[in-house]
Amino acid sequence: MKYSMLTKALSCTLLISSSALTFAADYNFTMATTTPANSPWGSTLTSFQNLVKEYTKGQVEINASFGGALGNDTQLLQKTQLGSTVQGAQSSGANLGSVVSAFKAFDVPYIINSLETSTKLFYPNGSLGGETVDELQSLMAKKNLRLLYVMPFEFRGILTTEKTINSPADMEGLKIRVTPSEVERSMITELGSGATTLGISEVYTALQTGTVDGLAIPPITAVAFGLHEVANNINLLNFQPHGSFMTVNARAWSKLPKDIQAKVQQAADKAVQENIQVFESELTTALAKFKEQGVKVIQPSQQVQDEFAAIIQAPAAKIATQNFNSDEKHFFKTLQTALDKI
């Protein structure tokens, strides 16, 4: 009797162990972002996580980390390059540009002028690819990185506390907050404004106290930091594209069998397509919050945007590409050619 009970117990233990082994993922990726889980960027990562499980039938598990729990943007990108604790990270184009110089091309004002253009550039047939992406992947591989998906681009408007911006001349003499980006500083100074470098967490108080008169920022990001509460105007100039890219460790990616790579990439493409409407909805909500706060929302004409572009685009492009090597210069030409065809 005791022998029979022991046999049953051992059988149950083996069955449980066997089940655990059966359902264990063959490959694990920790993917991180500094954005909250309930943000559009977080929603995209969550969709990707679920789709990967579905498409690979559990062979690949994505461990998603949100809100900067594993580090800031710079730290996450560095960890992704190493690949030991983090195998994937969301990064802005500006942040990626410090590692893969070619990404500085996406900081050039008006080079990408709409969400539709960015989608067609990176997803020409509904999936990540095309000549531009192929060249970018080659440049990223040299830094042990791979592009996995590109979230819908945002575009910076000019937010101000007092003066309404209706033309380039209205920028003269203003104190404008900038990031450490040389390209952004160039654009602001070309317009006759003074550039003050501040972290985003410092901007709310700086606008309140008059330390700065405004800044270039996407509407969704502005609302996320409560800046609509201390502004009087925002001109939706599409002043500068703001891309957000999910990267993975190239060596970790190469260890996936080709058929699994294809399924994971399919999941990434689907996650982006599923969340485009989330970004569009968030933009509508952000603009509504500006208006509820009594902020004047200005939709500029194409002529006004052309006037801004005529002043800032060429100098900014020169600075963005000044240290490009021959491969990066070729990429920039490929990018421009692709955009001309869209």
Side-chain angles (χ1 to χ4, degrees), residues 22 33 40 47 75-76 81 88 122 129 148 151 165 191 208 223 227 229 233 239-240 244 282 284 292 299 312 329 335:
T22 300
T33 174
S47 293
Q75 291 168 337
L76 290 179
Q81 282 185 280
F122 291 102
L148 184 61
M151 281 153 279
I165 306 300
L191 291 166
Q208 273 187 318
V223 168
L227 303 185
E229 299 171 355
N233 311 280
F239 187 73
Q240 188 183 31
S244 190
E282 286 289 324
T284 299
E292 289 169 7
Q299 182 64 60
I312 64 177
K329 289 177 181 177
L335 172 62

Side-chain angles (χ1 to χ4, degrees), residues 109-110 158 165-171 187 191 235 237 239 300 302-314:
Y110 300 105
I158 296 291
I165 306 300
N166 292 309
S167 70
D170 293 327
M171 295 289 293
M187 292 187 292
L191 291 166
N235 190 319
L237 274 168
F239 187 73
Q302 186 60 54
Q303 179 182 341
V304 170
Q305 292 188 60
D306 289 344
E307 289 172 1
F308 273 88
I311 296 171
I312 64 177
Q313 191 172 46

Side-chain angles (χ1 to χ4, degrees), residues 29 37 56 309:
F29 280 70
T56 68

Side-chain angles (χ1 to χ4, degrees), residues 89-107:
Q90 176 190 320
S91 297
S92 67
N95 190 41
L96 266 167
S98 65
V99 177
V100 182
S101 295
F103 276 91
K104 293 179 181 179
F106 298 112
D107 280 343

Side-chain angles (χ1 to χ4, degrees), residues 185-319:
R185 179 174 289 274
S186 164
M187 292 187 292
I188 294 302
T189 56
E190 288 288 339
L191 291 166
S193 299
T196 301
T197 303
L198 291 172
I200 188 63
S201 61
E202 303 172 88
V203 173
Y204 190 104
T205 301
L207 291 169
Q208 273 187 318
T209 60
T211 301
V212 295
D213 301 309
L215 72 159
I217 192 168
I220 297 174
T221 306
V223 168
F225 286 92
L227 303 185
H228 61 302
E229 299 171 355
V230 288
N232 282 318
N233 311 280
I234 184 167
N235 190 319
L236 307 179
L237 274 168
N238 289 4
F239 187 73
Q240 188 183 31
H242 181 74
S244 190
F245 306 85
M246 181 59 77
T247 63
V248 293
N249 178 278
R251 280 193 289 271
W253 177 263
S254 68
K255 292 178 182 178
L256 296 176
K258 294 296 183 183
D259 63 321
I260 297 296
Q261 287 180 358
K263 291 174 182 177
V264 173
Q265 187 60 62
Q266 183 185 2
D269 295 343
K270 182 67 172 177
V272 171
Q273 296 303 320
E274 284 186 349
N275 284 276
I276 286 177
Q277 62 183 12
V278 175
F279 283 84
E280 294 172 341
S281 175
E282 286 289 324
L283 177 58
T284 299
T285 299
L287 294 178
K289 288 185 177 181
F290 270 107
K291 292 175 181 177
E292 289 169 7
Q293 195 71 28
V295 177
K296 185 177 182 180
V297 177
I298 303 165
Q299 182 64 60
S301 66
Q302 186 60 54
Q303 179 182 341
V304 170
Q305 292 188 60
D306 289 344
E307 289 172 1
F308 273 88
I311 296 171
I312 64 177
Q313 191 172 46
K318 184 177 180 180
I319 289 175

